[in-house]
Structure formats: C-alpha cells, structure tokens
Amino acid sequence: MALSPIDSPKPVPAAAKALPAKAKALTILNASTSSPSNASTPSSEGPQDLSEQLNEQVRRNYVTGSRLGEGTYAIVYSGHLRHDPTSLVAIKKLKVNKDYLDGLAPDAFREVRALQELSHPNIIKLYAVFSTRDQNLNIVLEHLPRGDIEGLMQNKSVSYGPADVKAWANMLAKAVWFCHENSILHRDIKGNNLLIAADGEVKLADFGLARTFSDPYRPMTYNVITRFYRPPELLYGARYYGGAVDVWSMGCVIAELVLRHFFLVSNTDIEQIDAITDVFGSCTEDVWPGVSRLDHYIPPAKDNIKRPKPMIYWKQHFGMLGDDGIEYLKSMFVLDPRKRATARQVLDHPYWTNNPKPTPKELLPQAAGGVEKMAEDLKRRGGEIEEGDGRADKVARKLNFADLKR
Amino acid sequence: MRLTEDEIYRSSTQFRLWSFTPEALASLRATTNSTATQRVKAAVKRLRESRNQSETNSEAENGTSTPVIFNREPDCLTVEEEMKVVEAFCGRAIVLGNVLEFPSNVIATGVQYLRRFYLFNSPMTYEPKSIMLSAMFLANKIEDNKMECADYAARITGTTKEQVLAPEFLITQALRFTFDVRHPFRGLQGGHMEMLAIAQGKAAVLPYVEKTAAEFQQEMLELPTQPGGAATKITQRELEKRLNAATDKARDTLKSSAIQSDAYFLYTPSQIWLAAYLLADEVLALFYLSSKFPGTIDAETPTGIAKLKIVATVRACAVLLAPDPALQKLSAEEKEAKRLEEINEVKAIHVKLRHCRDPDKMDLVKLNKAQKRDAGVEGKLEESVAKRRKLEREKNEKEADEFWGPELPKNGKKA
Ligand SMILES: Nc1ncnc2c1ncn2[C@@H]1O[C@H](COP(=O)(O)OP(=O)(O)O)[C@@H](O)[C@H]1O
Ligand SMILES: [Mg+2]
C-alpha cells in the first residue's frame, strides 16, 4: 500500500471544487441542487425529478449533426455545443440491440464507466453523458477528426519514418500505461480504435470492452480483443489474465505501423495461433510453464516444434526501429504473459530517449483528409461486425476478412 | 513511471462526485427531502382538484376505497425516516446478494448505488424495493458478473424481469452516469500481505524508515494484544494466526457496516479498511501505520502532524463502522427486543410512506413504458389520464401491502 491516507484528500463537496471542463457538465447536478424546482417542466407524467432536469440541461447543451462512423454497438455523430458551433464534439449513440434484452447494453456501461475514471492526453475525453426521451444513452466525446492509426498505416499516400512511428507508439504506450495504472484493461486495442486529434495527438478510444481488473480471483471472458491483436493466452482460453493482453495488442499495432500491413493475420482462432507461432515459435511448457493447463491448449506435434524467427528476420522487417526498437518490440511479444513486458516497463525502455527523437505531434504526417477520404474510411470500418447472439461472453469483435483484403 | 494511490483516487468519480463533508451530506439530504415533500404535496393537490372536477361524472367512490392521500395534506417523511428506510433496504440488499451468492464487490457496488440514488431522490418519490432490486441487477452488469435478467427475476418472489429493468434507466441517470465504485477490499488484502511479510521478516522497508526487516519482525512478535497492554512474545506461527484473524474480522466489517454506513461518502478506501482493521486489532493497525513512518518522529514536524492526522481520521471512521457500544452492553433478550423495536419502527415509517408516495412515480414499469412511448408520439398521451391514474392508484395500494413481503428466492439456494 502507498502512504495513501497521509495526503489523501479531505472530502470536499464536489460542487465546491474547481473541476476540469470534462466534469463540468456532470457537475451541474450538484450546482443546481439549491434551486431544483424552477427548472421543472411538467409533462404528461407530472414534473421531472432532479436527475431528469439536470439531464435535460446537459442534453440542451449539445446539437447533434452528421454521422461520423459506426461501430459495433453505437453510431457516432459529429456535434457541437449549442452556444458555440465552433466547439466540436463527437456524440456516440447506442444502437438498438435486438439481441440484448436485459436493459441498456453492457458495452455502453463499460465505456462510460472506464472513461469517467480516465483523464489523460492520450485517452479520448468524455465530456458528458445524457439520455434522450427514447431512453438512449448519448456519450459526448472529444472530436477526433483526423482518422485513425489503421487508416494511416494503410494509406500509401502518406509517407512516414522511424521518428514518426516512435511518436505514435509512445502516445499509444502512454495511454495503455495509464489505463493499467488505473486498473483498467482495454481489451480491444487496434489501429482502428486509435483516433487522431486535430493537433496530431493519438487517442485511445472505444472502451466498449474495457473492464477493471481489481479482483484477481474472478474469472473473465477470454473472448475479447479483435483476433489479429489477440494474445496467445486468450486464444488458449485463459480466464485469468492481466495487462499483458493489452501489451500484446500494442505490439501488434506498432509492428503494423512499421510493416504497413497487418502483422499477424488469419481467418480463424486456430489459425491465429499458427500465425503467432510461425513468428515466435511454438508454445511449449519450456518457454511458457503452465501453458498446457489452459483449456484450449493444443500441444504442437513432437516433430513440429517451431522455432522463433531469427534476428535476421527482425532486422529485415523491423530494421526501421533500430536494435533498441527491435528489442522493445519483441519484449511485448513474449509468449508467456508473465514474462511479457508490462506497460510500465515498455515506457521505461531506452528506445524512447535514444535517437531519433520522436517527432513532435504537430509535425507528424497526416492523411490528406477531405470528404472522399472519410467516405472511404466509413466503408472500411463497415468490416467490423459483431457476433450475432449478443451474449456477454461473446463480445470479441471480429474482422470481416473479405473486406480487409480489398 | 508510476501513479500513487492518491493520484489515482483523486481522479476517480468516487472522489470527484461522491465524496462529501458530513455537513454537505446532511444539507444534500435535507434538500432532497424538502424537494420531494413539495412535490408530493403539489401532486396530491393536483389530483384532489382533478378528482373534484371529475367527481360528478365518475363512478361513486365510497369513503373506504378512497385513498387517504386525497383527503388530507399528506404527512411526509422526515430526513431521518427516509434514511431509516434506505438503510433497511441496504440491509435487505446484502441479504439478497448473499443468498443469491453474488461476489462481495457486486453486493457492495449495488448497495452503494442504492445509497447514491437516495442522495438525490427520496423514497417518497421512488419506492426503495424496486430501486433496490434493479440496482442489484445493474451492479452485476457493471461488475461483469454474468447473469440473465430473467433468471435473476425468477429467483425473487413476486418480481418480473420487466420490474427489474424498469428503473434501470432512472438509476443510471441518478448515478450521474458514473458507475465505478472503489472498494476497500483490495486495499485490505494488500495490507494483509504486507503485514504477513513483516511477520516473516521479509518486509519491504521504506527507504526513509531506519529499521531492518528483522527489527520490524521482532517488534511485531512482541506487540501487546490490547492497546496499552504488556509486551508479549509469540511465535511467528501464532503471529500469522493473529494476522489472519484480524483480516477476517476486518473483512466482515467491510462487507457489512462499511457498506451500510456513510463511510464511502466520507472516507477514502484506505481509510475505510484501516478503520475496519483498527476495530479488529487496534495494536496491529497502529503498528502497521507506524511502519510507514520514520521510527522516531517529532509530533511538531509536518510528518508528525500528518501521522497524527491519519490516526485521527482512521479512528473517526472506525467510530462510524463500530457496532453501537450501547448495544454491546445489552443481554441477548434485550438485543432481540431492540431488534424487534427497530423493525417495528421501520414498519411504522413504511405505513407512513404509503400515504405520502408521489402519485406520479408509483408505477415504474408503466412510467418507463410511457416515457418510451412519449418519445415516439409526443403529445398522444392524453387518453383519459384520470382513469389511468385511478387504476394505477388501486394497483399501488395493493402492491404497497406487499411492500414488505419477501423478495428472497422462491426455490432454495440455487436456481
Ligand atoms: N471522437 C470521435 N471523433 C471522430 N470520429 C469518431 C469518434 N469516435 C468514434 N468515431 C468514429 O466512429 C467509429 C466507431 O467508433 P468506436 O468508438 O470504435 O465504436 P465501437 O465501440 O462501436 O466500435 C470509429 O471507428 C470512428 O470512425
Ligand atoms: Mg471500434
């Protein structure tokens, strides 16, 4: 335990504190408790209660505009503050989910819960949450107009180099580190969920699969993380896991940035294991003690134990990162999750301070942008589909492979 | 790079939105109570007027079937009465969670939702039983404890899935869309591990503490059993037993009085677990706290002042968590009598509550549907509002009688 109580905060009423803009909208609740009756608007069901009034106030602050994109559980619209059309936001509205009939979708709760607790320059900001009359949740997020990392990686008209990759990777690493420090697992890290702000800052978004890992004794679902980014322990059905799963995904994103195409590609979960072992060698008790006890573990045939790719492979494909960069990248791909680097260790790596220095965010290359590009983006994102039955343990997002091969 | 526990806690919504001084908490509750009281009175007045108007053309209502609520100014609940009702339902939520075998953090989260909900809402507006059942389901959803709503409802007497889900949205809104609750369980577990390490001579001594791990172990082995007691000399095994016992006792406190009191509103998770530990084994708790400070400190220095302050805060929290000392002295019969007295008191409040419920918010299932419908065809809702209200009223009278009925599983422990 830290020396927590020493300077631990003396409780102050929330309304009395100066709060960042992020929390303002939500704090209206407290601020107006002194005059709750004057805002009431009687409806056919009698006057609104306090929470309803305050919700209404928040809702009135925003105007929803055109559609920006669509994800697994929500549609994202652009929007702005009612009194200031130049201050843009993104408004994420839940889709009606016919498969989940137990009230509001867990994805929305996961996302809101996580983002309410996280305030970091590399994590998408949550400005407010409000509901509309149809009892739909609207999540007001910071507006991130410059596409995502996956788009950059695939857009051959954008050229970038080692210092740029270092800058993007560093922002990603900081976001993951911050989540983990706050005991939050993201569980869907991929280029497509790393959005880019107007000033070039990379922001981790889409916390629809996030959860806290505060209770190490409770099993979790292994069916998370988009397949290409899913670490071997989840493919083997591990139900107890930690930050190492996100670190693996982070490694995949960085590798993709270097390669300029997806790194570990397959059509099925079983094949994904092959894609991984082709590069990193077979998962055996020797390299990963305990692996054979995982539910879905399939031992490699005795005569077919794969060896990890030699250094020459790394130099050929990832030479852009330099020797230090190759070393730190490989540390994220250690098969045994207990030996894999933690987000904290990744951030402590000398790679970041060695030359070349990361490009300042304002100078980072960017996609040409424009309406056509956005339309193209939309089509590409349509490749993401949700598994049909909406059950809480089938939450892993899948990639529609046909679409990706275009 | 590393964030301190305090940095993390300070950015949490539990601190930013749900931490209060005792004064702020009291005034918030007073505001909620007076707002609800005004609303109930206004609603009753409205209903009385509309009834007077429609009396001539509606079927004759004889005196006995006319709800009391129409005949006189409603006698509303006081803040204290509201709190008693909410507290009673927190107790029932814990029982429900234990019977349905929810993990302890799910129960604790659900109970906090209930307490947070009733900071901004009155039981006069929203009846606690439905809110409790819905909040407990929501807690399972949030804490990723997979459960189908239909299964949950099936295990609760007289409850449908629809009833469980109807207030969900209301609760989400009242929780101000913040769902994360920071519990003291993990802190207790961490503290326990640290103390075990000290007992085994393997303490990770802080750099500014001028003591070795062996010295710490020695000191711990010689701790008195009671504050101010004589030094003892026990074996490492006996010490480990003592630690286990203290942690178990503290955990019980965390699962009961810590979530049933205002502790989460007033103290940080570390303060709460240390307070629970203090109640379990004061000597060990103070020893543990001291191990975080340099061996010799002057009370006048900032560090000395900080230490005194922590101990004072933890002790204040412990008072909140401790069983009522007056109750401790009573005999078994007296305790039972007191318990029955309390039950009767809550029952009496409930009878009173029946006559001061906000008539607009009685049927949450219907209200929920109406709101959804409203959103679709705005304004098409005027069909015989008076008639509908009368039906609702009658239904609610009936339901109110079942208010204190059992909500526990119909069919034994397992579904
Ligand atoms: N803040 C934002 N600014 C701009 N576009 C956004 C923003 N958030 C999401 N989008 C767009 O909407 C898409 C889906 O959003 P995402 O948060 O990933 O939803 P889901 O959780 O349903 O996958 C993104 O890929 C992106 O194109
Ligand atoms: Mg997405």
Side-chain angles (χ1 to χ4, degrees):
Chain A
M1 196 199 73
L3 262 181
S4 168
I6 284 194
D7 49 36
S8 84
K10 190 176 158 22
V12 190
K17 280 175 290 184
L19 287 170
K22 171 193 175 179
K24 279 252 170 66
L26 295 154
T27 321
I28 296 171
L29 264 161
N30 251 351
S32 51
T33 44
S34 49
S35 57
S37 48
N38 52 19
S40 74
T41 38
S43 74
S44 57
E45 292 293 331
Q48 293 181 313
D49 69 34
L50 187 60
S51 326
E52 287 167 331
Q53 288 167 28
L54 300 164
N55 177 63
E56 188 121 340
Q57 287 175 16
V58 175
R59 166 158 43 120
R60 269 196 241 112
N61 284 343
Y62 298 99
V63 178
T64 308
S66 60
R67 202 174 132 120
L68 282 177
E70 180 166 350
T72 40
Y73 81 95
I75 298 178
V76 184
Y77 297 88
S78 87
H80 61 80
L81 276 176
R82 187 172 298 279
H83 70 264
D84 177 11
T86 61
S87 63
L88 298 176
V89 296
I91 301 180
K92 194 165 175 177
K93 276 185 202 282
L94 297 203
K95 288 196 244 185
V96 181
N97 184 344
K98 294 206 171 48
D99 301 316
Y100 186 79
L101 299 171
D102 283 355
L104 290 167
D107 308 60
F109 282 118
R110 290 194 198 102
E111 175 139 281
V112 172
R113 178 195 190 174
L115 289 180
Q116 290 276 30
E117 307 297 316
L118 296 171
S119 175
H120 186 273
N122 299 113
I123 294 175
I124 189 168
K125 282 223 175 343
L126 174 76
Y127 290 132
V129 181
F130 65 84
S131 56
T132 35
R133 296 293 304 253
D134 53 352
Q135 302 208 340
N136 203 340
L137 275 194
N138 290 249
I139 305 170
V140 185
L141 299 164
E142 94 184 276
H143 188 247
L144 302 170
R146 274 178 35 191
D148 57 53
I149 289 288
E150 186 188 306
L152 266 181
M153 171 272 278
Q154 287 183 323
N155 186 339
K156 295 287 148 59
S157 67
V158 182
S159 57
Y160 55 77
D164 306 320
V165 171
K166 191 177 279 191
W168 287 318
N170 190 245
M171 294 188 269
L172 166 58
K174 282 179 176 152
V176 175
W177 165 79
F178 193 79
C179 290
H180 292 182
E181 288 287 295
N182 281 278
S183 305
I184 291 171
L185 296 178
H186 185 280
R187 305 199 300 179
D188 198 17
I189 290 172
K190 54 179 173 178
N192 172 276
N193 283 335
L194 288 158
L195 306 184
I196 302 169
D199 64 355
E201 193 88 42
V202 170
K203 312 259 179 176
L204 182 56
D206 192 354
F207 281 68
L209 285 177
R211 65 162 289 161
T212 55
F213 54 103
S214 53
D215 190 349
Y217 305 108
R218 279 179 52 210
M220 300 182 269
T221 170
Y222 51 81
N223 202 353
V224 286
I225 305 186
T226 302
R227 191 190 310 121
F228 296 177
Y229 305 84
R230 203 179 303 163
E233 63 269 29
L234 295 183
L235 293 162
Y236 284 144
R239 305 191 121 256
Y240 299 89
Y241 51 85
V245 299
D246 284 340
V247 172
W248 180 279
S249 311
M250 167 159 79
C252 295
V253 172
I254 297 167
E256 288 172 0
L257 274 170
V258 176
L259 297 170
R260 303 210 65 151
H261 56 74
F262 292 109
F263 177 39
L264 301 167
V265 180
S266 80
N267 285 310
T268 65
D269 290 0
I270 303 268
E271 283 178 31
Q272 188 66 26
I273 295 266
D274 292 336
I276 291 171
T277 51
D278 284 348
V279 180
F280 300 103
S282 297
C283 297
T284 60
E285 280 289 325
D286 290 342
V287 297
W288 179 355
V291 63
S292 61
R293 287 197 302 273
L294 293 173
D295 285 352
H296 302 172
Y297 178 70
I298 307 160
K302 280 268 178 308
D303 53 352
N304 191 23
I305 306 276
K306 289 185 234 169
R307 313 232 337 119
K309 291 261 199 259
M311 199 54 192
I312 184 77
Y313 163 89
W314 292 93
K315 288 205 195 275
Q316 258 169 17
H317 291 88
F318 297 94
M320 179 202 252
L321 293 175
D323 288 350
D324 54 343
I326 288 173
E327 197 223 48
Y328 106 106
L329 183 63
K330 284 176 75 180
S331 73
M332 294 180 247
F333 286 118
V334 175
L335 294 171
D336 182 347
R338 273 164 306 189
K339 296 183 209 137
R340 200 173 300 150
T342 63
R344 193 184 280 156
Q345 286 164 345
V346 169
L347 270 192
D348 286 341
H349 200 278
Y351 166 74
W352 308 110
T353 42
N354 291 349
N355 281 325
K357 298 282 180 268
T359 311
K361 66 178 184 221
E362 311 77 36
L363 303 178
L364 283 165
Q366 49 176 298
V371 179
E372 289 131 81
K373 173 67 181 51
M374 219 147 89
E376 200 183 291
D377 271 6
L378 280 179
K379 267 186 256 151
R380 178 170 51 79
R381 274 171 210 122
E384 218 176 291
I385 51 163
E386 166 102 338
E387 229 168 276
D389 67 359
R391 294 271 303 266
D393 63 342
K394 296 271 175 121
V395 278
R397 284 97 197 277
K398 302 268 159 138
L399 287 162
N400 182 336
F401 195 65
D403 220 57
L404 288 167
K405 280 196 287 205
R406 274 186 309 137
Chain B
M1 280 217 264
R2 191 183 277 268
L3 292 179
T4 69
E5 210 176 295
D6 289 316
E7 283 169 316
I8 292 168
Y9 186 67
R10 243 185 282 257
S11 67
S12 71
T13 49
Q14 180 155 320
F15 174 71
R16 290 188 293 116
L17 277 79
W18 299 103
S19 291
F20 306 90
T21 60
E23 300 75 36
L25 200 56
S27 102
L28 188 54
R29 286 187 170 128
T31 309
T32 299
N33 174 265
S34 79
T35 311
T37 303
Q38 283 167 26
R39 283 180 46 141
V40 169
K41 290 187 173 163
V44 167
K45 187 157 167 266
R46 222 170 353 95
L47 276 187
R48 200 189 296 136
E49 283 164 6
S50 83
R51 188 187 67 128
N52 287 341
Q53 271 170 20
S54 62
E55 192 127 79
T56 39
N57 49 12
S58 78
E59 66 273 54
E61 287 175 292
N62 65 42
T64 46
S65 79
T66 303
V68 188
I69 200 166
F70 281 107
N71 293 337
R72 55 177 162 83
E73 180 85 332
D75 180 15
C76 291
L77 299 193
T78 63
V79 176
E80 291 69 33
E81 288 169 333
E82 286 180 331
M83 280 186 72
K84 281 227 163 76
V85 173
V86 173
E87 227 107 89
F89 274 94
C90 290
R92 296 172 74 136
I94 294 174
V95 174
L96 179 82
N98 285 332
V99 173
L100 297 184
E101 296 177 318
F102 297 163
S104 46
N105 65 330
V106 171
I107 301 176
T109 296
V111 172
Q112 287 314 304
Y113 285 172
L114 201 54
R115 300 187 73 86
R116 289 178 177 185
F117 182 89
Y118 284 111
L119 274 191
F120 289 97
N121 293 286
S122 162
M124 294 186 280
T125 317
Y126 296 113
E127 181 248 306
K129 183 172 164 182
S130 9
I131 302 298
M132 184 269 275
L133 293 176
S134 192
M136 290 302 275
F137 180 70
L138 182 60
N140 277 285
K141 200 190 272 192
I142 302 274
E143 300 289 358
D144 265 291
N145 191 44
K146 227 187 84 192
M147 185 173 9
E148 304 263 329
C149 189
D151 295 343
Y152 173 73
R155 300 185 64 190
I156 302 168
T157 308
T159 300
T160 63
K161 172 177 164 178
E162 205 183 21
Q163 283 168 343
V164 172
L165 293 177
E168 184 181 58
F169 198 73
L170 202 67
I171 297 173
T172 338
Q173 223 169 42
L175 292 177
R176 305 165 67 184
F177 307 107
T178 61
F179 306 106
D180 198 64
V181 183
R182 311 270 163 133
H183 297 295
F185 301 115
R186 208 176 165 212
L188 172 65
Q189 196 54 35
H192 177 70
M193 302 307 278
E194 274 184 81
M195 282 189 259
L196 265 185
I198 302 179
Q200 294 160 353
K202 293 186 284 199
V205 183
L206 294 165
Y208 51 81
V209 179
E210 315 85 12
K211 241 183 248 173
T212 65
E215 282 166 341
F216 263 124
Q217 181 190 29
Q218 203 48 42
E219 253 182 66
M220 204 184 208
L221 288 167
E222 290 168 13
L223 286 175
T225 46
Q226 295 293 324
T232 55
K233 180 79 185 108
I234 54 177
T235 65
Q236 187 182 317
R237 268 203 68 81
E238 285 164 332
L239 178 57
E240 285 175 16
K241 259 198 193 143
R242 179 177 174 181
L243 291 173
N244 289 334
T247 300
D248 287 347
K249 196 153 173 238
R251 195 180 292 110
D252 286 341
T253 306
L254 296 186
K255 286 182 182 174
S256 54
S257 59
I259 52 175
Q260 284 193 86
S261 66
D262 281 335
Y264 279 51
F265 290 140
L266 300 171
Y267 299 98
T268 68
S270 324
Q271 289 163 350
I272 297 172
W273 82 255
L274 280 165
Y277 207 91
L278 190 87
L279 291 175
D281 193 325
E282 180 165 337
V283 177
L284 276 179
L286 295 177
F287 172 80
Y288 172 77
L289 269 173
S290 301
S291 77
K292 301 288 175 190
F293 291 89
T296 45
I297 38 170
D298 186 345
E300 304 295 308
T301 61
T303 324
I305 293 167
K307 184 179 172 188
L308 289 177
K309 225 174 108 190
I310 293 176
V311 174
T313 310
V314 170
R315 281 194 191 281
C317 180
V319 171
L320 193 66
L321 305 185
D324 184 354
L327 206 68
Q328 296 288 80
K329 293 197 198 87
L330 300 180
S331 70
E333 297 95 78
E334 285 170 324
K335 271 188 194 157
E336 179 59 16
K338 183 119 176 88
R339 200 181 65 87
L340 289 176
E341 192 187 308
E342 267 163 22
I343 291 180
N344 284 331
E345 195 186 352
V346 177
K347 274 190 178 155
I349 299 173
H350 164 245
V351 171
K352 193 175 167 191
L353 177 60
R354 261 170 66 179
H355 300 304
C356 59
R357 292 270 314 277
D358 184 338
D360 291 326
K361 305 283 185 188
M362 284 218 204
D363 189 337
L364 293 178
V365 171
K366 212 166 239 170
L367 190 61
N368 185 42
K369 278 194 189 139
Q371 275 172 359
K372 284 187 174 165
R373 197 171 54 220
D374 247 1
V377 257
E378 205 111 15
K380 276 202 175 175
L381 208 76
E382 295 313 313
E383 26 91 35
S384 136
V385 174
K387 188 176 171 208
R388 198 186 71 222
R389 286 214 164 113
K390 177 170 173 289
L391 289 173
E392 275 172 24
R393 213 163 59 224
E394 285 167 2
K395 182 161 169 284
N396 278 302
E397 284 290 301
K398 193 174 140 279
E399 268 172 15
D401 289 332
E402 292 154 8
F403 186 71
W404 286 98
E407 69 248 357
L408 289 180
K410 300 158 191 167
N411 40 8
K413 250 184 159 280
K414 286 264 185 214

